[in-house]
Amino acid sequence: MKKITVVESGLKFGPYDPDNLFEIEKFVKSTRQFDDIKIAEFALILQGKAPKICIVEAKSSSPHTGKPSEEFDKFIVEINSKLVNSLCLLVALCIRRHKDRYNELPRKFKSFNVGEVNFELILILRGHADEWNLKIAEQLSIKLDSQRKIWNHNLFHIKVLNDKQAIEKGYATVALK
């Protein structure tokens, strides 16, 4: 089976097994049903001790986080919306709330048990300084606190990485020129 590579915000992700990758942004753009919903790039199933679904949003720029600002607050609200909407849409599709769209899910998304999966929401910021990640992670964690409670703190994780960290941790494979 041919592997899939995703290119977004100057980063290359993959190649991934097509059964483990759901290009949720591409899916939303392919239909008018969800066209007004802010959405992340993709969802990926990773196997380990416990299965994990990563929802990835990549950005090529972000506001400097040294000082609070209206621009920074808007950025956090936008990222929160994209990640939460993606999680909710994915789960809604998996539990067949949109029966007419269920068959568009990759095979492994149809077969996992939603109740046994960990969720990891990942924001990757290209060219972002390491020290800025903490401020964004803190603010995003505050914004996502109710979601973390709903989905169980122990099974719901938030990561903010720059491109170098994403490559080191294996989420991205290369930063493009």
Side-chain angles (χ1 to χ4, degrees), residues 60-144:
S60 58
S61 64
S62 66
H64 184 280
T65 61
K67 299 177 185 173
S69 70
E70 188 175 320
E71 179 186 15
F72 180 71
D73 293 343
K74 284 181 182 178
F75 177 77
I76 295 297
V77 167
E78 175 191 353
I79 298 303
N80 175 68
S81 293
K82 286 183 170 196
L83 294 172
V84 170
N85 290 347
S86 299
L87 175 62
C88 291
L89 179 57
L90 177 63
V91 172
L93 289 166
C94 289
I95 64 171
R96 299 176 188 228
R97 299 300 277 188
H98 301 279
K99 290 180 173 89
D100 58 325
R101 306 310 300 248
Y102 177 77
N103 285 333
E104 296 176 56
L105 283 170
R107 186 178 59 82
K108 288 195 179 169
F109 283 88
K110 294 176 187 175
S111 64
F112 75 87
N113 181 339
V114 176
E116 294 178 2
V117 71
N118 291 325
F119 292 103
E120 196 167 85
L121 306 184
I122 304 168
L123 172 61
I124 299 173
L125 301 165
R126 172 121 194 220
H128 208 252
D130 292 2
E131 59 271 14
W132 298 345
N133 292 347
L134 184 58
K135 178 71 171 170
I136 289 178
E138 286 172 355
Q139 292 304 307
L140 200 51
S141 186
I142 290 167
K143 201 66 153 164
L144 287 164

Side-chain angles (χ1 to χ4, degrees), residues 37-51:
I37 298 174
K38 293 178 187 257
I39 213 81
E41 269 66 65
F42 62 89
L44 180 67
I45 293 178
L46 297 176
Q47 298 297 334
K49 290 184 215 172

